[in-house]
Amino acid sequence: MQLNKLYGMGFREPVRRATLADANEGRDWRIYADLAHRLIGQARVLYADEELGIDLNNTVYALDSTTIDLCLAMFPWARFRVAKGAVKMHTLLDLRGNIPSFVHISDGKMHDGHALDLLPVEAGAIYVMDRGYVDFSRLFGLHQAGAFFVTRAKSNLDARRISSAPVDRATGLICDQTVSLMGYQTSQNYPDRVRRIRFRDPSTAKTLIFLTNNFELPAAIVCALYKSRWQVELFFKWIKQHLRIRRFFGTSENAVKTQIWIAVSVYVLIAIVKKRLTLTASLYTLLQVFSVSLFERIPIESALALEIPTSEIASSSNQLNLFGF
C-alpha cells in the first residue's frame, strides 16, 4: 500500500516512511506470523471443498521458494553472494484455493531441499515439487510418513526398470515404469521402489520424467499434478507485484520478515472475504477497492461498484490472475 493512499484514508497527514520503518523494526515479526497462521487456518476451512480441476480427494500441495533480492549495503545480515543480498520465501501452497499453508523465510543461501525438514507432513497428502527438492533421503521420509510426492527426475538418475505398465501414447505418455534406484548413495537413501513416468509435452515437444511413490493414480493424473505446480509460481508473482515486498520499510531482519508476513496476511484475508461473500471480483480488484475505501462505512458490494481509476485497470490487464476469474 502506497503512502499517498494512506493520506486519503482519513489520516490527517501523510504517514512518514520513517514511522512505518520504526514500527517494523520494533515490533516482533512473530506477531504478524501468528496472525497469518490464524487467517490461513480460516481460509483453508473455507476452501476445503474447492475444485482442483483433477479428480482427486487427496489434499494436494505445491512446494517451492522464491528469492527476494536485497541491497547488501543496506541489508548486510542477508548475505547471499559476494556482492548481493537476499532472503528466500519457502511456501507450501494448498491447491484447493491456492492458500499458503506453510511459509518459512530464510536467508538466500538455504537450499530448497532443506525446507522438507521443516514441513508438517500430512499422511495421504500429495506434495508436488520441482527437481530442486530431489533429495532421496528426505523424499523417503515423506514416503515413510504415509505422504506422496510428485517430482521430476534429475538427468543423472541411475535406476533399473523392474516392470512396466501399458500407456496410451496418444496422450503423450511414453512409459510408466516401476524402478529401483541403483546409485550407491541413492539406493541407501531410498531403498524402496519408485514409479517413473516419461511424458512428452505436445505443446513444447519436451520430454519430462516424473518420479512418484504413488502407484495407484493413473499416469495422466500424475502428469497433471506436476503441471498444477505452476500455481505456486503464480502466487509468488502475484504477491510480489501487488503487495510490494520488493521494497521494505526498515532494513533489519525483523523489519523484512514483518513486511512479508503482513503481505501474506493481506493476501489470505482478501481470499477469505472473497469466499465468505461469494464475490466474483478477482483478488486484484478487491485489493484495489479495499486500498482506496478501507475506512469508508459502505457495504463491500457498493464499494465494488465504484469506478476504479483507468490507470489501475490498465496496469492490471497484463497481470496473471491467480484464481482465473
Side-chain angles (χ1 to χ4, degrees), residues 122-228:
E122 179 184 331
I126 300 173
Y127 295 82
V128 187
M129 60 202 90
D130 65 17
R131 287 180 292 188
Y133 294 89
V134 176
D135 180 315
F136 285 107
S137 62
R138 291 182 168 96
L139 292 179
F140 192 60
L142 288 178
H143 178 66
Q144 289 182 306
F148 301 106
F149 61 82
V150 174
T151 187
R152 280 183 63 191
K154 292 184 178 180
S155 58
N156 61 349
L157 179 70
D158 185 6
R160 177 175 62 88
R161 181 178 64 86
I162 297 173
S163 63
S164 297
V167 297
D168 181 1
R169 286 181 171 264
T171 63
L173 291 167
I174 299 173
C175 65
D176 181 1
Q177 303 172 333
T178 298
V179 303
S180 61
L181 303 177
M182 297 301 294
Y184 175 77
Q185 194 64 48
T186 55
S187 63
Q188 296 289 319
N189 291 337
Y190 200 107
D192 212 338
R193 297 177 179 183
V194 182
R195 187 180 182 187
R196 179 175 64 185
I197 298 170
R198 196 182 302 269
F199 173 77
R200 187 176 185 273
D201 188 343
S203 61
T204 62
K206 186 176 181 180
T207 299
L208 306 172
I209 302 173
F210 302 117
L211 297 177
T212 181
N213 63 333
N214 191 312
F215 292 86
E216 303 298 325
L217 291 176
I221 295 294
V222 174
C223 298
L225 281 171
Y226 190 82
K227 185 177 182 180
S228 68

Side-chain angles (χ1 to χ4, degrees), residues 2 11 22 25 65-66 83-84 88 94 99 111 117 136 146 162 172 199 204 208 239-240 244 270 274 277 286:
Q2 294 175 332
F11 288 91
D22 289 344
E25 297 275 2
S65 70
T66 188
K84 186 177 181 180
K88 269 188 176 181
D94 186 344
I99 304 298
H111 190 277
D117 298 332
F136 285 107
I162 297 173
F199 173 77
T204 62
L208 306 172
I239 202 170
K240 281 184 173 181
R244 297 177 177 86
I270 295 174
K274 176 181 172 68
L277 300 183
L286 292 175

Side-chain angles (χ1 to χ4, degrees), residues 16-26 70-71 74-77 245-260:
R16 305 299 178 188
R17 185 183 183 90
T19 302
L20 293 178
D22 289 344
N24 286 357
E25 297 275 2
L70 300 171
C71 174
M74 297 182 65
F75 302 84
W77 53 268
I245 58 171
R246 290 175 174 173
R247 298 179 63 186
F248 291 92
F249 301 105
T251 58
S252 69
E253 181 177 0
N254 189 83
V256 170
K257 288 185 175 182
T258 291
Q259 195 163 329
I260 292 174

Side-chain angles (χ1 to χ4, degrees), residues 31-44:
I31 297 172
Y32 305 98
D34 287 346
L35 171 63
H37 287 135
R38 294 293 289 270
L39 293 173
I40 286 168
Q42 294 179 33
R44 293 192 65 196

Side-chain angles (χ1 to χ4, degrees), residues 1 5-11 15 289-298:
M1 187 177 296
K5 286 186 177 180
L6 292 175
Y7 185 52
M9 288 181 176
F11 288 91
V15 178
V289 169
F290 295 156
S291 68
V292 298
S293 57
L294 187 60
F295 294 115
E296 296 183 26
R297 295 175 60 87
I298 58 174

